[in-house]
Amino acid sequence: MAAIHELGRHGEQLAVDYLRAAGLKILERNWCCSEGEIDILAREGPVLVVVEVKTRSGRSHGSAFEAVTTAKVARLRTLAARWLSGQSEWFSSIRIDVVALERFAGEFSIRHDRGVS
């Protein structure tokens, strides 16, 4: 179990590095409330970007991207509204992104899907 947790943490750090390199400003990581957790909250210009990170070491349980269901996206929208209620910063809109990382033969591939619904 520790190896799975470590894989997820490593994948999340790779996602943060990737997003920063793409010009996003990381606002918060692993924000939690009683209703759940948001992996990464970022800003891209005036847009709040809620990022779900999924990391897999193989496809025995489906691809990392397939793990983000419609219900999960809906929950992320609810969590984003909850996070926003405690902020004084203004955003023009909210976007839900998925960063899926898959490791094969020790190398990670990254897929960033913007504006999933």
Side-chain angles (χ1 to χ4, degrees), residues 25-66:
K25 177 184 177 193
I26 305 302
L27 302 174
E28 200 161 342
R29 291 174 66 173
N30 305 115
W31 178 82
C32 293
C33 70
S34 60
E35 298 166 48
E37 178 183 1
I38 295 175
D39 293 331
I40 300 170
L41 289 143
R43 174 185 273 280
E44 186 171 46
V47 178
L48 173 64
V49 184
V50 176
V51 183
E52 176 69 10
V53 179
K54 289 295 182 188
T55 308
R56 295 285 186 267
S57 60
R59 290 212 172 157
S60 60
H61 299 291
S63 74
F65 187 75
E66 290 170 339

Side-chain angles (χ1 to χ4, degrees), residues 5-24:
H5 183 67
E6 186 59 35
L7 175 68
R9 264 214 309 236
H10 182 64
E12 191 170 291
Q13 184 59 53
L14 289 172
V16 164
D17 295 344
Y18 171 87
L19 292 167
R20 280 189 178 131
L24 279 76

Side-chain angles (χ1 to χ4, degrees), residues 52-55 64-65 98-102 109-113:
E52 176 69 10
V53 179
K54 289 295 182 188
T55 308
F65 187 75
V98 175
V99 174
L101 298 103
E102 294 182 344
S109 67
I110 297 177
R111 175 179 166 185
H112 179 195
D113 283 20

Side-chain angles (χ1 to χ4, degrees), residues 60-78:
S60 60
H61 299 291
S63 74
F65 187 75
E66 290 170 339
V68 182
T69 63
T70 303
K72 176 67 174 181
V73 171
R75 193 161 67 101
L76 287 169
R77 289 193 183 284
T78 300

Side-chain angles (χ1 to χ4, degrees), residues 83-104:
W83 182 82
L84 278 169
S85 70
Q87 304 302 309
S88 58
E89 220 172 331
W90 178 86
F91 298 91
S92 65
S93 60
I94 300 170
R95 188 178 80 219
I96 308 290
D97 287 7
V98 175
V99 174
L101 298 103
E102 294 182 344
R103 184 177 69 186
F104 298 101

